[in-house]
């Protein structure tokens, strides 16, 4: 079974700075998706970014971008120009392609953006 | 993406009672999921709810404790039965769209006294 590891339980960054959250995963398959979700104190899980494993180009969404290293099984999230509203738990998640496949979540990284 | 609502948003319940959580989607979806998030923890999948068939439960979760209904393609319910304080958690429903991406409802915060 696949595993997802987030080795940073907590991180802090100053407003307007850049921060990188780490995620590694373990799989023997070649076709899968990777996701980053954000969970602010309101508790709603919000999709931040999605990466398809067959795409070499790193996904970007405005201030959010990923560094996808397939051989190293690494999927880090970079947040540029951090804002107070970025304060949240961030979860990395993995899903095989194909129907009826489940999401596997990491343990999460709590990010605090400070003034 | 689909707009998902959950009711109730929070509740405080007594030990031994049951609570039914509703999940409503604004479009038809095939796959719906129910998750539990215990305090300070990540999400754990309880079951997959497919329309027209029995829900598929993950290891450690049983139908008697967490009965699920899926009467149509836009609605599902999860019941937490015979509650104990250990059931205090956030319960989230999600739907999977054709992009194989899951989107989540706002969650239900349950406290059992």
């Amino acid at each position: 079974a696949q595993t997802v590891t987030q080795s940073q339980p907590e991180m802090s960054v100053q407003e307007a700075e850049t921060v990188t959250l780490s995620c590694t995963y373990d799989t023997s398959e070649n076709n899968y998706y990777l996701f980053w979700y954000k969970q602010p104190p309101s508790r709603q899980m919000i999709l931040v970014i999605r990466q398809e494993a067959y795409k070499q180009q790193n996904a970007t969404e405005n201030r959010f971008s990923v560094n996808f290293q397939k051989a190293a099984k690494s999927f880090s999230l970079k947040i540029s120009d951090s804002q107070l509203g970025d304060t949240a738990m961030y979860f990395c998640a993995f899903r095989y392609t194909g129907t009826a496949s489940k999401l596997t979540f990491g343990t999460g990284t709590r990010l605090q953006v400070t003034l | 993406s689909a707009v998902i609502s959950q009711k109730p948003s929070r509740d405080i319940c007594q030990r031994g009672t049951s609570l039914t959580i509703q999940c409503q989607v604004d479009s038809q979806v095939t796959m719906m999921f129910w998750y539990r998030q215990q305090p300070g923890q990540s999400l754990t999948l309880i079951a997959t709810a497919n329309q027209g068939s029995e829900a598929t439960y993950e290891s450690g979760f049983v139908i008697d404790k967490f009965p699920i209904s899926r009467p149509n393609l836009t609605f599902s319910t999860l019941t937490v039965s015979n509650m104990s304080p250990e059931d205090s958690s956030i319960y989230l429903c999600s739907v999977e769209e054709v992009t194989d991406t899951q989107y989540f409802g706002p969650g239900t915060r349950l406290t059992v006294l």
Side-chain angles (χ1 to χ4, degrees), chain B residues 12-24:
Chain B
I12 301 173
C13 300
Q14 295 298 319
R15 181 195 301 258
T17 63
S18 298
L19 176 72
T20 296
I21 302 168
Q22 299 178 5
C23 180
Q24 179 77 52

Side-chain angles (χ1 to χ4, degrees), chain A residues 102-103 105, chain B residues 6 19 21 32-38 42-49 55-68 76-81 86-87 89-94 102 104 108 110:
Chain A
K102 295 173 276 193
L103 268 182
F105 286 91
Chain B
Q6 281 186 238
L19 176 72
I21 302 168
M32 293 183 77
F33 304 86
W34 287 99
Y35 290 85
R36 182 176 72 183
Q37 187 179 27
Q38 295 176 301
S42 186
L43 278 70
T44 301
L45 181 64
I46 297 171
T48 303
T56 303
Y57 289 84
E58 296 300 302
S59 176
F61 297 96
V62 295
I63 188 171
D64 289 346
K65 175 69 175 176
F66 298 101
I68 288 170
S76 179
T77 66
L78 169 75
T79 299
V80 186
S81 303
E86 291 71 35
D87 294 319
S89 295
I90 296 171
Y91 292 85
L92 300 110
C93 70
S94 73
Q102 285 190 29
F104 288 81
T108 296
L110 172 62

